[in-house]
Amino acid sequence: MKISLTQKYNVPGPRYTSYPTVPYWNESDFTDQKWIASFQKAFLESNFQNGISLYIHLPFCESMCTFCGCNKRITKNHSVEETYIEAILKEWDLYCQLLQEKPVIKEIHLGGGTPTFFSTKNLELLIGGILSKANKAKDYEFSFEGHPNNTTYEHLKKLYDLGFRRVSFGVQDYAEKVQKAIHRIQPFHNVAKVTFWAKEIGYTSIGHDIIFGLPFQTIENVIDTVEKTNSLKPDRLAFYSYAHVPWIKGNGQRGFNEENLPKDAEKRMLYETGKQMLSKNGYHEIGMDHFALKSDSLYKATENKELHRNFMGYSASKTQLMIGLGVSSISDSWYSFTQNTKSIEDYYQLLEENKLPVVKGHILNNEDLIIRKHILNLTCKFETSWDNELYFKEIHAVLENLREIEKDQLIVIEENKIKITEAGRPFVRNICMAFDLHLKRKSPETNLFSMTV
């Protein structure tokens, strides 16, 4: 029996927010001093020209969503807010002490967890403390993730007054049965309310995150969710494949059974149905899993071939240096990656000792840097090419790995170029895996990655 392309390519694989991916970081060759040297070098090379990005991880949530694999702390005790913000500002101060000039901030993104767990007063303390030691770039972009159930008008207005113009709301799916399974009861009314508030206040880019492949989800659910989403007309959409990774400690993905999940062709049909509807409603596919209206900056960046991807997702602007503040945050200097401790208690303790809360990292070698550029090209432009700068000795082996994908008409291989076809776009992760030399040299012995399709 002939198997479908979905069945053929639905294998565990990375999402490529970085290369090398975190499980393949060479921790034995990494030291805090190497990270500091790399961070300082990247800062001097890029601060004046492009500015830097800050990702701030706010981990607290009042309840557990069982679809979420993020690092979070479940609590209804809001007294934790002040201590955590003091710690983030201490970490930022430690970084600023290592700089020779005042940082210029191009991007700030508040992620989580639930950033809107925090009061407007404490969010103002956080952003005010960050900006007291920095200048804003002329074309800065500040964004945050908002939970529709607890984002208030005051949250939106205060963050707008602090310079935020982009917000994304987690929707997932509107079906009650699905929401109960993932422990995310969230009426359409709540999403509509915060979306209209954001438009009224003046946010220039409003995003919704929806997910396909959730437990008990049907095509009818996806149609209903996309129709409701279109009625609110967000500027951009993330239409993610649900990442089922129940082996990760503390991710809470145990509220349903494996047999409750749509699989293979059924799951793919959920995506194709949603994608067709989004296309008919004026949304254009941007990179992997993302869609945007022509008026949104992501679409414009795609048209100008300026789309960038990092640990914060897709971005309309590129900065060389991204500093991650807060527990579990990842930083990127282009030459190296580093990650903070995932333990809040350890995070506080290291900062108390005036130490950066870094626990692991990776220094990229020349091969890593070249492969990273190819993977960024594939995920941001759906094509890549190689000349003297991007040629590497194993390119011919990579091309052989891609022959089967080429035969399935998912890519076109030219003399020194690869283009992903329209049919190949859902399989970008698989195409990137052919370039992933770390993965090729050492296959995982345990579960590491979610399924690619």
Side-chain angles (χ1 to χ4, degrees), residues 52 75 132 146 162 190 203 259 288 301 307 360 394 436 442:
I52 68 172
T75 182
S132 69
L162 291 170
N190 289 4
Y203 282 80
E259 59 266 23
M288 296 189 296
L307 191 67
K360 65 179 180 180
E394 295 192 42
D436 190 337
K442 186 180 179 182

Side-chain angles (χ1 to χ4, degrees), residues 53-68:
S53 296
L54 293 184
Y55 170 75
I56 304 174
H57 190 74
L58 304 175
F60 301 109
C61 301
E62 287 195 346
S63 64
M64 171 76 79
C65 301
T66 58
F67 68 89
C68 177

Side-chain angles (χ1 to χ4, degrees), residues 112 134 151 169 174 212 214 223 282 292 324 357 427 435:
T151 299
F169 296 115
Y174 286 115
F212 67 94
L214 291 167
I223 291 172
F427 304 96
F435 281 82

Side-chain angles (χ1 to χ4, degrees), residues 112-132:
T114 306
T116 46
F117 173 96
F118 287 73
S119 70
T120 55
K121 175 186 174 184
N122 285 323
L123 289 172
E124 185 173 20
L125 284 172
L126 171 63
I127 301 305
I130 295 290
L131 295 179
S132 69

Side-chain angles (χ1 to χ4, degrees), residues 157-216:
K157 185 66 170 64
K158 176 57 68 178
L159 287 168
Y160 182 88
D161 291 343
L162 291 170
F164 286 74
R165 295 294 181 269
R166 187 165 72 80
V167 57
S168 60
F169 296 115
V171 174
Q172 325 326 334
D173 188 282
Y174 286 115
E176 185 177 350
K177 187 174 183 179
V178 176
Q179 289 188 355
K180 285 182 177 178
I182 62 176
H183 201 234
R184 178 79 170 223
I185 307 302
Q186 184 170 271
F188 172 70
H189 170 76
N190 289 4
V191 181
K193 180 174 62 178
V194 293
T195 300
F196 289 135
W197 279 344
K199 289 183 178 183
E200 176 189 326
I201 289 168
Y203 282 80
T204 55
S205 182
I206 300 167
H208 286 187
D209 295 347
I210 54 181
I211 297 178
F212 67 94
L214 291 167
F216 304 109

Side-chain angles (χ1 to χ4, degrees), residues 291-302:
F291 297 81
L293 297 175
K294 280 190 174 181
S295 56
D296 191 76
S297 60
L298 273 190
Y299 176 84
K300 295 171 182 176
T302 302

Side-chain angles (χ1 to χ4, degrees), residues 253-309:
Q253 294 184 354
R254 292 172 178 84
F256 41 86
N257 298 320
E258 295 280 343
E259 59 266 23
N260 302 139
L261 296 169
K263 295 179 179 64
D264 297 333
E266 180 187 3
K267 181 179 179 182
R268 197 69 221 163
M269 186 55 66
L270 298 178
Y271 175 77
E272 293 299 337
T273 300
K275 177 181 175 179
Q276 289 171 16
M277 292 179 67
L278 292 171
S279 179
K280 287 179 181 177
N281 288 309
Y283 289 94
H284 297 264
E285 191 170 18
I286 306 295
M288 296 189 296
D289 311 323
H290 284 68
F291 297 81
L293 297 175
K294 280 190 174 181
S295 56
D296 191 76
S297 60
L298 273 190
Y299 176 84
K300 295 171 182 176
T302 302
E303 288 294 286
N304 297 330
K305 295 190 179 296
E306 294 174 348
L307 191 67
H308 184 55
R309 181 171 171 83

